[in-house]
Amino acid sequence: MNRDHLDEMFERAARLLDDGQFEQALAALDAIPQPLEESDDRIEWHTMRGWALAELGRVDEALDLVEPLLDEFPDNGRLHCARGFALLQADALPEAVESLEHAFELDPDDELTITNLAYACERVRDYRRAVTLYDRAIDLGVGIDWALVRKAAALADAGDLQDAAKTLKRYLSLEPDDVEQWG
């Protein structure tokens, strides 16, 4: 398969994942001929497929897919992130945090890792760390509307209602149509 066509197939699957069309993303990934020869392609296929499976609640399948590659590529942050996300979906919070922390150590600028680690920290009630990570994600350009809502929630849960209100105001300045939802 030529490189351009393979890249197009991966991009299509990524768009479907971003749009929350997880069954369609799986179908798009299944259309990619196997076995993939390049290590980066194999990692990408496994992480994207693991992500979609976890989103669909098929956590065991996601872990069965991703974990064997961790033996082969133990220093790949994206694989650790995918594992951590699947564990988050399974409410295995300590293991999810551990996996996401390792992914963060391997790639401290990966937006997906940072946002998932922030959410995991929020779930284990480490609100200050979650806020710090949400700020880092925002600085890196992650979807600010989502990150601001999560940051406001973490601040509120930490008891910092004044900063939570400021953060929510910032969000509402970007998404004024949501004012009634928060009123």
Side-chain angles (χ1 to χ4, degrees), residues 25-91:
L26 285 175
L29 290 164
D30 287 343
I32 295 174
Q34 299 293 320
L36 292 166
E37 293 178 22
E38 298 291 325
S39 297
D40 288 344
D41 293 336
R42 289 179 49 227
I43 291 167
E44 187 72 8
W45 187 86
H46 280 78
T47 57
M48 290 174 78
R49 188 165 173 70
W51 198 275
L53 289 167
E55 285 281 10
L56 292 167
R58 296 163 56 185
V59 174
D60 290 338
E61 288 177 71
L63 292 171
D64 288 346
L65 184 71
V66 171
E67 287 179 338
L69 246 62
L70 282 168
D71 293 335
E72 190 175 346
F73 304 103
D75 294 328
N76 186 280
R78 190 53 71 124
L79 286 168
H80 286 281
C81 180
R83 180 179 183 271
F85 178 75
L87 291 166
L88 259 177
Q89 296 298 95
D91 286 327

Side-chain angles (χ1 to χ4, degrees), residues 161-180:
L161 299 180
Q162 188 173 15
D163 279 347
K166 286 179 188 175
T167 301
L168 197 52
K169 268 188 183 178
R170 183 175 173 204
Y171 165 75
L172 292 173
S173 74
L174 299 170
E175 297 290 337
D177 291 342
D178 287 356
V179 168
E180 288 183 29

